[in-house]
Amino acid sequence: MKAKRILFLAIPAILLTSCGPGAEITDSKELADKTAAIAAKQKEVKNYKFTVDIDSNSYDESEKKNANTKTKMVYEVNEDGDIKLHSEGTSNGKTTTSDFYLVKDTKYEQVLYLDNFDGKDHDISVYGYEGNELTFGFATLYYAIPEAYLSAFSDPTDFVSSATQASDEETVVKYYSTGDGNLTVEATVTEKSVDASEESAVTTKETIKYDNYLLKSASIEATSNKGNVSKMDFTFEAKAKFAITLPSGWEALINKASAEE
């Protein structure tokens, strides 16, 4: 679990909320019914957009000063299994972007499109599935971060189990609801012992909100032993079926890189 906290610091944003979380739930049966209904409904969603906003602060030992990194990821999936991920990161005043597509195609079976932009030049790679099976095998690495967090938040019971499993942490979890299909889970995690030789989170506050039996938003705020605060915001939107289309000109570039190697 300690590794999980360090990960929050390494790639971490706080939820923007307007209304209160409602009345606290203490009845175990009511809570079990709510969490089971949410987990079941979440599994039914086939078309969605999941957004991750990161604002990470950490101490740079080599520079002897704090460093700030900001990242935004917009992860979209439709019921055909097509995927689009737009990522944008800013560090030391420099912004880079990445656009990833994994789309089914009648001619090429499936197409993987990746465009990395460093602020000056685009580095574009486009592959058809046949002959590039190994490349497609590693495709999940591109969207591993949003997929991991979405998986963690999709079932309230799994989230709480993960948040409370470490023996070197003290975790307080509370549940609130404003009515049917609505649930807020708040977890505060405090490290019992911290290695002063390296930066790690000493307290972490995690909030997940569900509405209409579906994930709505989440936040993580971690404070390190060096006083740095890193934040993550997450938002989830269930959508009607939609198409994910490749950028124009993709077919002229397909397999070009692999053919030249």
Side-chain angles (χ1 to χ4, degrees):
M1 194 63 183
K2 184 169 290 186
K4 176 185 173 186
R5 307 300 162 196
I6 295 173
L7 176 62
F8 289 158
L9 280 173
I11 51 170
I14 195 161
L15 177 66
L16 299 176
T17 57
S18 55
C19 303
E24 184 175 0
I25 300 176
T26 57
D27 182 83
S28 59
K29 185 180 185 306
E30 180 185 1
L31 182 60
D33 289 345
K34 278 185 177 291
T35 55
I38 288 170
K41 187 69 174 180
Q42 191 73 31
K43 290 178 180 178
E44 297 176 4
V45 179
K46 306 300 181 184
N47 302 275
Y48 57 85
K49 179 170 72 173
F50 183 59
T51 302
V52 181
D53 281 297
I54 299 166
D55 189 346
S56 177
N57 295 289
S58 59
Y59 186 74
D60 189 324
E61 289 288 351
S62 61
E63 296 289 334
K64 301 300 180 185
K65 63 180 183 180
N66 286 331
N68 176 261
T69 300
K70 293 184 178 180
T71 303
K72 182 170 185 175
M73 302 178 185
V74 181
Y75 179 55
E76 297 178 89
V77 177
N78 67 20
E79 62 189 75
D80 296 323
D82 298 331
I83 295 171
K84 176 183 177 182
L85 174 64
H86 174 77
S87 302
E88 183 174 315
T90 302
S91 181
N92 297 322
K94 181 180 179 180
T95 299
T96 59
T97 64
S98 174
D99 287 288
F100 170 88
Y101 293 79
L102 190 62
V103 178
K104 289 181 174 60
D105 181 78
T106 53
K107 182 177 180 179
Y108 297 101
E109 186 174 350
Q110 198 171 29
V111 175
L112 188 157
Y113 181 105
L114 181 65
D115 178 3
N116 291 312
F117 180 59
D118 64 3
K120 294 181 179 180
D121 301 306
H122 288 270
D123 180 10
I124 301 175
S125 299
V126 188
Y127 299 97
Y129 182 79
E130 186 176 354
N132 297 298
E133 290 86 350
L134 184 60
T135 298
F136 278 76
F138 287 101
T140 57
L141 296 177
Y142 290 104
Y143 53 91
I145 291 173
E147 187 63 36
Y149 283 112
L150 179 57
S151 177
F153 299 145
S154 292
D155 187 328
T157 302
D158 287 348
F159 166 76
V160 172
S161 176
S162 174
T164 58
Q165 66 183 358
S167 60
D168 59 344
E169 296 172 348
E170 179 181 343
T171 304
V172 177
V173 181
K174 292 187 177 183
Y175 305 87
Y176 303 88
S177 179
T178 60
D180 290 343
N182 178 273
L183 181 68
T184 296
V185 183
E186 295 183 351
T188 302
V189 182
T190 304
E191 294 283 351
K192 293 179 180 179
S193 60
V194 177
D195 183 357
S197 64
E198 59 182 32
E199 185 167 24
S200 62
V202 290
T203 60
T204 304
K205 296 181 180 179
E206 305 172 10
T207 303
I208 309 178
K209 289 183 175 290
Y210 303 89
D211 202 28
N212 294 322
Y213 297 99
L214 292 176
L215 174 66
K216 181 180 180 181
S217 55
S219 69
I220 299 170
E221 180 174 334
T223 302
S224 79
N225 54 343
K226 294 187 180 295
N228 285 310
V229 177
S230 294
K231 303 175 182 179
M232 301 187 77
D233 278 338
F234 308 85
T235 58
F236 179 85
E237 177 188 356
K239 304 178 69 174
K241 185 177 181 179
F242 66 101
I244 294 177
T245 57
L246 295 162
S248 61
W250 66 269
E251 197 162 5
L253 299 171
I254 197 161
N255 296 330
K256 182 178 179 181
S258 59
E260 292 179 348
E261 289 174 355

